[in-house]
Amino acid sequence: MNATARKTAAQSLASPPGEGELYGITELAQEFAISLRAIRFYEDKGLLAPRRINGGRAYTRRDRVRLGLILRGKAVGMSLAEIEHILSLYGDHGEGHAKQLDYLVGRIDAAMAELDTRRRNIEAMLGELGEVRGQLQRTLAAKRRARKK
Amino acid sequence: MNATARKTAAQSLASPPGEGELYGITELAQEFAISLRAIRFYEDKGLLAPRRINGGRAYTRRDRVRLGLILRGKAVGMSLAEIEHILSLYGDHGEGHAKQLDYLVGRIDAAMAELDTRRRNIEAMLGELGEVRGQLQRTLAAKRRARKK
DNA sequence: CAGGTTGTTGACGTTAACGTAAGCACTCGG
DNA sequence: CCGAGTGCTTACGTTAACGTCAACAACCTG
Protein backbone atom coordinates (compact mmCIF):
# COMPACT_ATOMS: atom_id res chain seq x y z
CA MET A 1 0.00 0.00 0.00
CA ASN A 2 1.26 3.44 -0.82
CA ALA A 3 0.27 7.08 -0.58
CA THR A 4 -1.45 7.14 -3.94
CA ALA A 5 -3.57 4.14 -3.11
CA ARG A 6 -4.75 5.79 0.05
CA LYS A 7 -5.37 9.06 -1.72
CA THR A 8 -7.54 7.54 -4.39
CA ALA A 9 -9.36 5.48 -1.81
CA ALA A 10 -10.21 8.63 0.10
CA GLN A 11 -11.00 10.75 -2.92
CA SER A 12 -13.08 8.21 -4.78
CA LEU A 13 -15.77 8.67 -2.16
CA ALA A 14 -17.04 12.22 -1.88
CA SER A 15 -18.85 11.28 1.32
CA PRO A 16 -17.31 8.13 2.80
CA PRO A 17 -19.72 5.89 4.68
CA GLY A 18 -18.50 6.51 8.16
CA GLU A 19 -14.72 6.60 8.27
CA GLY A 20 -13.31 9.92 7.16
CA GLU A 21 -9.64 10.20 6.40
CA LEU A 22 -7.30 7.25 6.39
CA TYR A 23 -3.63 7.36 7.26
CA GLY A 24 -0.70 5.19 6.21
CA ILE A 25 1.77 3.79 8.66
CA THR A 26 4.67 5.98 7.60
CA GLU A 27 2.41 8.97 7.75
CA LEU A 28 1.63 8.30 11.40
CA ALA A 29 5.23 7.39 12.11
CA GLN A 30 6.40 10.74 10.82
CA GLU A 31 3.66 12.70 12.50
CA PHE A 32 4.46 11.22 15.89
CA ALA A 33 8.17 10.82 15.25
CA ILE A 34 8.33 7.12 16.04
CA SER A 35 9.41 4.07 14.05
CA LEU A 36 7.22 1.87 11.89
CA ARG A 37 8.37 -1.01 14.02
CA ALA A 38 7.00 0.64 17.13
CA ILE A 39 3.59 1.13 15.55
CA ARG A 40 3.44 -2.47 14.42
CA PHE A 41 4.59 -3.50 17.85
CA TYR A 42 1.69 -1.67 19.46
CA GLU A 43 -0.58 -3.51 17.09
CA ASP A 44 0.97 -6.81 18.11
CA LYS A 45 0.20 -5.92 21.68
CA GLY A 46 -3.40 -5.23 20.79
CA LEU A 47 -3.24 -1.49 21.33
CA LEU A 48 -4.04 -0.74 17.70
CA ALA A 49 -6.13 -2.60 15.16
CA PRO A 50 -5.96 -0.87 11.78
CA ARG A 51 -7.96 -2.16 8.84
CA ARG A 52 -6.17 -3.71 5.93
CA ILE A 53 -6.40 -2.27 2.47
CA ASN A 54 -4.53 -4.11 -0.22
CA GLY A 55 -2.43 -5.84 2.38
CA GLY A 56 -1.34 -2.57 3.95
CA ARG A 57 -2.44 -1.01 7.21
CA ALA A 58 -5.00 1.77 7.07
CA TYR A 59 -5.49 3.88 10.18
CA THR A 60 -8.57 5.94 10.92
CA ARG A 61 -8.72 9.16 12.92
CA ARG A 62 -9.71 7.05 15.86
CA ASP A 63 -6.56 4.96 15.50
CA ARG A 64 -4.60 8.16 15.29
CA VAL A 65 -6.08 9.37 18.55
CA ARG A 66 -5.33 6.07 20.20
CA LEU A 67 -1.73 6.26 19.08
CA GLY A 68 -1.54 9.70 20.61
CA LEU A 69 -2.88 8.35 23.87
CA ILE A 70 -0.37 5.53 23.78
CA LEU A 71 2.52 7.92 23.41
CA ARG A 72 1.23 10.23 26.06
CA GLY A 73 0.85 7.27 28.35
CA LYS A 74 4.45 6.35 27.74
CA ALA A 75 5.55 9.91 28.37
CA VAL A 76 3.76 9.68 31.67
CA GLY A 77 5.65 6.55 32.58
CA MET A 78 2.99 3.92 32.03
CA SER A 79 3.71 0.44 30.72
CA LEU A 80 1.99 -0.72 27.56
CA ALA A 81 -0.13 -3.02 29.69
CA GLU A 82 -1.36 -0.12 31.76
CA ILE A 83 -1.97 1.90 28.65
CA GLU A 84 -4.01 -0.93 27.25
CA HIS A 85 -6.26 -0.73 30.29
CA ILE A 86 -6.72 2.98 29.84
CA LEU A 87 -7.45 2.58 26.15
CA SER A 88 -10.10 0.00 26.85
CA LEU A 89 -11.99 2.73 28.64
CA TYR A 90 -12.32 4.71 25.44
CA GLY A 91 -14.37 2.18 23.50
CA ASP A 92 -17.94 2.36 22.19
CA HIS A 93 -19.47 1.05 25.37
CA GLY A 94 -22.75 2.72 24.51
CA GLU A 95 -24.49 -0.64 24.54
CA GLY A 96 -23.43 -1.76 27.98
CA HIS A 97 -25.86 -2.37 30.77
CA ALA A 98 -25.96 -0.26 33.87
CA LYS A 99 -23.87 -2.78 35.80
CA GLN A 100 -21.15 -2.68 33.22
CA LEU A 101 -21.22 1.08 33.01
CA ASP A 102 -20.85 1.29 36.75
CA TYR A 103 -17.92 -1.04 36.53
CA LEU A 104 -16.35 1.15 33.88
CA VAL A 105 -16.78 4.25 35.97
CA GLY A 106 -15.03 2.41 38.76
CA ARG A 107 -12.15 1.50 36.50
CA ILE A 108 -11.87 5.06 35.38
CA ASP A 109 -11.81 6.26 38.94
CA ALA A 110 -9.05 3.80 39.72
CA ALA A 111 -7.05 4.95 36.74
CA MET A 112 -7.54 8.57 37.71
CA ALA A 113 -6.46 7.84 41.25
CA GLU A 114 -3.26 6.24 40.00
CA LEU A 115 -2.52 9.16 37.76
CA ASP A 116 -3.15 11.48 40.65
CA THR A 117 -0.63 9.59 42.74
CA ARG A 118 1.88 9.97 39.98
CA ARG A 119 1.17 13.64 39.79
CA ARG A 120 1.69 14.01 43.50
CA ASN A 121 5.04 12.27 43.24
CA ILE A 122 6.05 14.62 40.50
CA GLU A 123 4.99 17.59 42.52
CA ALA A 124 6.98 16.33 45.47
CA MET A 125 10.08 16.03 43.30
CA LEU A 126 9.46 19.45 41.87
CA GLY A 127 9.23 20.82 45.36
CA GLU A 128 12.46 19.23 46.48
CA LEU A 129 14.31 20.28 43.38
CA GLY A 130 13.01 23.78 43.94
CA GLU A 131 14.47 23.73 47.42
CA VAL A 132 17.84 22.55 46.19
CA ARG A 133 17.72 25.24 43.57
CA GLY A 134 16.91 27.90 46.13
CA GLN A 135 19.73 26.73 48.35
CA LEU A 136 22.18 26.87 45.49
CA GLN A 137 21.08 30.33 44.55
CA ARG A 138 21.51 31.55 48.06
CA THR A 139 25.08 30.31 48.26
CA LEU A 140 25.63 31.80 44.83
CA ALA A 141 24.33 35.15 45.98
CA ALA A 142 26.55 34.93 49.03
CA LYS A 143 29.56 34.28 46.85
CA ARG A 144 28.78 37.26 44.67
CA ARG A 145 28.30 39.47 47.71
CA ALA A 146 31.60 38.23 49.10
CA ARG A 147 33.24 39.49 45.91
CA LYS A 148 31.83 42.94 46.74
CA LYS A 149 29.90 43.03 43.44
CA MET B 1 26.24 -8.37 59.13
CA ASN B 2 23.12 -8.74 61.17
CA ALA B 3 20.65 -6.71 63.21
CA THR B 4 22.48 -7.13 66.48
CA ALA B 5 25.75 -6.02 65.00
CA ARG B 6 24.10 -2.83 63.86
CA LYS B 7 22.39 -2.36 67.15
CA THR B 8 25.55 -2.68 69.18
CA ALA B 9 27.37 -0.48 66.75
CA ALA B 10 24.78 2.22 67.26
CA GLN B 11 24.39 1.77 70.99
CA SER B 12 28.06 1.53 71.79
CA LEU B 13 28.38 5.20 70.93
CA ALA B 14 26.17 7.46 72.96
CA SER B 15 26.92 10.30 70.58
CA PRO B 16 28.11 8.88 67.26
CA PRO B 17 30.71 11.01 65.51
CA GLY B 18 28.65 12.28 62.63
CA GLU B 19 26.55 9.49 61.18
CA GLY B 20 23.48 8.84 63.26
CA GLU B 21 21.50 5.70 62.66
CA LEU B 22 22.60 2.95 60.34
CA TYR B 23 20.29 0.63 58.47
CA GLY B 24 20.74 -2.90 57.19
CA ILE B 25 19.79 -3.91 53.71
CA THR B 26 16.77 -6.01 54.72
CA GLU B 27 15.60 -3.20 56.89
CA LEU B 28 15.50 -0.84 53.96
CA ALA B 29 14.08 -3.52 51.71
CA GLN B 30 11.16 -4.03 54.05
CA GLU B 31 10.61 -0.36 54.69
CA PHE B 32 10.38 0.37 50.99
CA ALA B 33 8.88 -2.97 50.04
CA ILE B 34 11.50 -3.86 47.44
CA SER B 35 13.90 -6.77 47.07
CA LEU B 36 17.44 -6.98 48.34
CA ARG B 37 18.48 -7.65 44.81
CA ALA B 38 17.02 -4.36 43.69
CA ILE B 39 18.91 -2.41 46.33
CA ARG B 40 22.17 -4.09 45.39
CA PHE B 41 21.36 -3.43 41.78
CA TYR B 42 21.01 0.28 42.44
CA GLU B 43 24.38 0.13 44.11
CA ASP B 44 25.85 -1.57 41.05
CA LYS B 45 24.51 1.27 38.99
CA GLY B 46 26.16 3.79 41.25
CA LEU B 47 22.95 5.17 42.71
CA LEU B 48 23.85 4.06 46.21
CA ALA B 49 27.18 3.68 47.96
CA PRO B 50 26.74 2.25 51.45
CA ARG B 51 29.68 1.76 53.75
CA ARG B 52 30.82 -1.70 54.61
CA ILE B 53 30.80 -3.02 58.13
CA ASN B 54 32.05 -6.52 58.62
CA GLY B 55 31.47 -7.28 54.97
CA GLY B 56 27.86 -6.17 55.14
CA ARG B 57 26.30 -3.04 53.75
CA ALA B 58 25.50 -0.24 56.18
CA TYR B 59 23.19 2.54 55.00
CA THR B 60 23.01 5.99 56.52
CA ARG B 61 19.97 8.24 56.68
CA ARG B 62 21.30 9.94 53.61
CA ASP B 63 21.36 6.64 51.75
CA ARG B 64 17.82 6.05 52.90
CA VAL B 65 16.72 9.38 51.48
CA ARG B 66 18.44 8.61 48.22
CA LEU B 67 16.68 5.29 47.99
CA GLY B 68 13.40 7.08 48.52
CA LEU B 69 14.23 9.46 45.71
CA ILE B 70 15.13 6.56 43.46
CA LEU B 71 11.80 4.87 44.04
CA ARG B 72 9.87 8.07 43.62
CA GLY B 73 11.73 8.67 40.39
CA LYS B 74 10.72 5.25 39.19
CA ALA B 75 7.13 5.86 40.18
CA VAL B 76 7.26 8.98 38.10
CA GLY B 77 8.45 7.02 35.10
CA MET B 78 12.11 7.93 35.04
CA SER B 79 14.86 5.53 34.02
CA LEU B 80 17.65 4.78 36.46
CA ALA B 81 19.95 6.84 34.28
CA GLU B 82 17.70 9.86 34.60
CA ILE B 83 17.38 9.28 38.30
CA GLU B 84 21.13 9.19 38.57
CA HIS B 85 21.24 12.66 37.04
CA ILE B 86 18.71 13.96 39.49
CA LEU B 87 20.54 12.41 42.42
CA SER B 88 23.76 14.03 41.36
CA LEU B 89 22.06 17.34 42.01
CA TYR B 90 21.67 16.53 45.68
CA GLY B 91 25.35 16.28 46.50
CA ASP B 92 27.54 18.46 48.73
CA HIS B 93 28.37 20.96 46.03
CA GLY B 94 29.06 23.61 48.63
CA GLU B 95 32.62 23.92 47.40
CA GLY B 96 31.86 24.55 43.77
CA HIS B 97 32.77 27.75 42.01
CA ALA B 98 30.16 30.16 40.77
CA LYS B 99 30.39 28.75 37.24
CA GLN B 100 29.66 25.26 38.43
CA LEU B 101 26.83 26.39 40.65
CA ASP B 102 25.29 28.19 37.70
CA TYR B 103 25.60 25.03 35.70
CA LEU B 104 23.90 23.07 38.43
CA VAL B 105 21.04 25.52 38.58
CA GLY B 106 20.65 25.08 34.85
CA ARG B 107 20.55 21.32 35.20
CA ILE B 108 17.95 21.62 37.89
CA ASP B 109 15.86 23.91 35.75
CA ALA B 110 16.03 21.41 32.92
CA ALA B 111 15.00 18.58 35.20
CA MET B 112 12.14 20.65 36.56
CA ALA B 113 11.00 21.52 33.07
CA GLU B 114 10.89 17.84 32.14
CA LEU B 115 8.94 16.99 35.22
CA ASP B 116 6.56 19.79 34.44
CA THR B 117 5.98 18.37 30.97
CA ARG B 118 5.20 15.04 32.50
CA ARG B 119 2.79 16.66 34.88
CA ARG B 120 1.05 18.40 32.04
CA ASN B 121 0.65 15.11 30.22
CA ILE B 122 -0.83 13.57 33.29
CA GLU B 123 -3.22 16.42 33.68
CA ALA B 124 -4.27 16.07 30.07
CA MET B 125 -5.00 12.39 30.61
CA LEU B 126 -6.87 13.16 33.78
CA GLY B 127 -8.95 15.66 31.89
CA GLU B 128 -9.82 13.23 29.14
CA LEU B 129 -10.62 10.45 31.53
CA GLY B 130 -12.83 12.86 33.39
CA GLU B 131 -14.69 13.58 30.20
CA VAL B 132 -15.18 9.91 29.44
CA ARG B 133 -16.37 9.44 32.98
CA GLY B 134 -18.84 12.27 32.68
CA GLN B 135 -20.15 10.89 29.42
CA LEU B 136 -20.64 7.48 30.96
CA GLN B 137 -22.45 8.92 33.91
CA ARG B 138 -24.77 10.86 31.66
CA THR B 139 -25.77 7.77 29.73
CA LEU B 140 -26.11 5.97 33.02
CA ALA B 141 -28.42 8.65 34.35
CA ALA B 142 -30.42 8.49 31.13
CA LYS B 143 -30.81 4.73 31.54
CA ARG B 144 -32.00 5.11 35.10
CA ARG B 145 -34.49 7.79 34.04
CA ALA B 146 -35.72 5.54 31.27
CA ARG B 147 -36.52 2.94 33.89
CA LYS B 148 -38.77 5.54 35.59
CA LYS B 149 -36.77 5.10 38.77
C1' DC C 1 28.73 -27.25 68.04
C1' DA C 2 24.49 -27.77 65.02
C1' DG C 3 21.22 -24.87 63.11
C1' DG C 4 19.00 -20.54 61.81
C1' DT C 5 19.39 -15.81 60.40
C1' DT C 6 21.48 -12.42 57.69
C1' DG C 7 24.56 -11.36 54.68
C1' DT C 8 27.90 -11.84 50.33
C1' DT C 9 29.24 -12.69 45.47
C1' DG C 10 28.58 -14.51 40.97
C1' DA C 11 25.95 -16.32 37.18
C1' DC C 12 22.11 -17.13 34.63
C1' DG C 13 17.01 -16.27 33.48
C1' DT C 14 13.20 -13.08 32.42
C1' DT C 15 10.10 -9.37 30.87
C1' DA C 16 9.19 -5.19 28.34
C1' DA C 17 9.83 -2.54 24.46
C1' DC C 18 11.51 -2.09 20.88
C1' DG C 19 15.78 -2.22 16.81
C1' DT C 20 17.71 -4.45 12.90
C1' DA C 21 18.03 -7.26 9.12
C1' DA C 22 16.45 -10.56 5.52
C1' DG C 23 13.50 -11.70 1.99
C1' DC C 24 9.40 -11.28 -0.61
C1' DA C 25 5.08 -8.70 -2.68
C1' DC C 26 2.85 -4.79 -4.89
C1' DT C 27 2.59 -0.71 -7.46
C1' DC C 28 3.94 3.29 -9.96
C1' DG C 29 6.73 6.21 -13.19
C1' DG C 30 9.50 6.02 -17.17
C1' DC D 1 9.04 -4.28 -18.39
C1' DC D 2 12.09 -2.67 -14.73
C1' DG D 3 13.87 -0.39 -10.88
C1' DA D 4 12.59 2.55 -6.93
C1' DG D 5 9.64 3.06 -3.25
C1' DT D 6 6.65 1.33 0.14
C1' DG D 7 4.99 -2.25 2.84
C1' DC D 8 4.63 -7.03 4.93
C1' DT D 9 6.25 -10.92 7.74
C1' DT D 10 9.60 -13.56 10.31
C1' DA D 11 13.22 -13.90 13.18
C1' DC D 12 16.95 -12.74 15.87
C1' DG D 13 19.45 -9.01 18.77
C1' DT D 14 19.42 -5.51 22.51
C1' DT D 15 18.82 -2.74 26.73
C1' DA D 16 16.95 -1.96 31.25
C1' DA D 17 15.72 -3.64 35.49
C1' DC D 18 15.45 -6.71 38.02
C1' DG D 19 14.38 -12.18 39.80
C1' DT D 20 16.22 -16.58 40.93
C1' DC D 21 19.50 -19.77 42.33
C1' DA D 22 23.74 -21.67 44.11
C1' DA D 23 27.39 -21.72 47.21
C1' DC D 24 29.56 -19.68 50.89
C1' DA D 25 30.85 -16.75 55.30
C1' DA D 26 29.85 -14.62 59.81
C1' DC D 27 27.30 -14.60 63.75
C1' DC D 28 23.94 -15.63 67.45
C1' DT D 29 21.23 -19.17 69.87
C1' DG D 30 19.97 -23.31 72.13
Side-chain angles (χ1 to χ4, degrees):
Chain A
M1 181 176 181
N2 59 33
T4 308
R6 261 174 286 112
K7 206 173 165 189
T8 49
Q11 288 182 339
S12 63
L13 297 171
S15 174
E19 77 269 325
E21 185 115 12
L22 290 181
Y23 308 85
I25 188 171
T26 39
E27 211 167 337
L28 287 187
Q30 288 174 1
E31 180 176 349
F32 290 103
I34 57 179
S35 72
L36 306 180
R37 182 67 182 80
I39 295 183
R40 297 196 192 105
F41 182 74
Y42 299 150
E43 179 177 345
D44 262 27
K45 293 295 170 173
L47 302 185
L48 291 175
R51 326 210 319 276
R52 291 315 187 95
I53 293 183
N54 242 329
R57 294 167 170 83
Y59 301 87
T60 67
R61 283 189 319 278
R62 201 165 157 288
D63 290 325
R64 208 182 68 92
V65 170
R66 286 177 71 93
L67 182 50
L69 290 173
I70 293 171
L71 298 181
R72 190 150 58 192
K74 291 208 57 184
V76 159
M78 299 172 41
S79 74
L80 292 189
E82 296 175 293
I83 292 172
E84 186 173 5
H85 286 151
I86 300 277
L87 284 179
S88 73
L89 301 175
Y90 278 85
D92 290 353
H93 29 60
E95 294 310 318
H97 286 314
K99 271 272 184 190
Q100 304 170 13
L101 294 187
D102 266 344
Y103 172 69
L104 272 182
V105 171
R107 294 259 328 265
I108 290 183
D109 285 349
M112 291 181 74
E114 271 205 48
L115 284 176
D116 209 59
T117 298
R118 254 170 238 251
R119 185 178 56 180
R120 265 192 255 287
N121 276 322
I122 288 183
E123 276 161 7
M125 295 198 75
L126 278 172
E128 291 177 26
L129 282 178
E131 277 188 35
V132 174
R133 203 199 118 107
Q135 185 61 37
L136 279 180
Q137 290 222 318
R138 269 190 294 283
T139 68
L140 240 169
K143 268 188 198 297
R144 298 211 205 286
R145 266 197 310 280
R147 262 191 359 202
K148 293 312 193 210
K149 170 57 201 276
Chain B
M1 183 175 178
N2 59 32
T4 309
R6 263 176 282 112
K7 207 174 166 190
T8 49
Q11 287 181 337
S12 63
L13 298 172
S15 173
E19 78 266 327
E21 185 114 13
L22 289 182
Y23 309 86
I25 189 170
T26 39
E27 212 166 336
L28 287 186
Q30 287 174 2
E31 180 175 349
F32 291 103
I34 58 179
S35 72
L36 306 181
R37 183 67 181 79
I39 295 183
R40 297 197 192 103
F41 182 75
Y42 299 151
E43 178 177 345
D44 262 26
K45 293 295 171 171
L47 301 185
L48 291 175
R51 323 206 328 270
R52 291 314 186 96
I53 294 183
N54 243 329
R57 295 168 170 81
Y59 301 86
T60 66
R61 284 189 319 281
R62 200 164 158 287
D63 290 324
R64 209 182 68 92
V65 169
R66 285 176 72 93
L67 182 50
L69 289 173
I70 292 171
L71 297 180
R72 189 149 57 193
K74 291 207 59 185
V76 158
M78 298 171 39
S79 74
L80 291 190
E82 297 174 293
I83 293 171
E84 186 173 5
H85 286 152
I86 300 278
L87 284 180
S88 73
L89 300 175
Y90 279 85
D92 291 351
H93 29 60
E95 293 310 319
H97 285 314
K99 271 272 184 189
Q100 304 171 14
L101 294 187
D102 267 343
Y103 172 69
L104 273 182
V105 170
R107 293 259 329 264
I108 291 183
D109 285 350
M112 291 181 74
E114 269 205 49
L115 284 176
D116 209 59
T117 298
R118 256 170 236 248
R119 185 177 56 180
R120 265 192 254 288
N121 276 322
I122 288 184
E123 276 162 5
M125 295 196 75
L126 278 172
E128 291 177 26
L129 281 178
E131 276 188 34
V132 174
R133 202 199 120 107
Q135 184 61 36
L136 278 180
Q137 290 222 317
R138 269 190 292 282
T139 68
L140 239 169
K143 267 189 198 298
R144 298 210 206 287
R145 266 198 310 280
R147 261 188 1 201
K148 291 311 192 213
K149 165 65 193 214

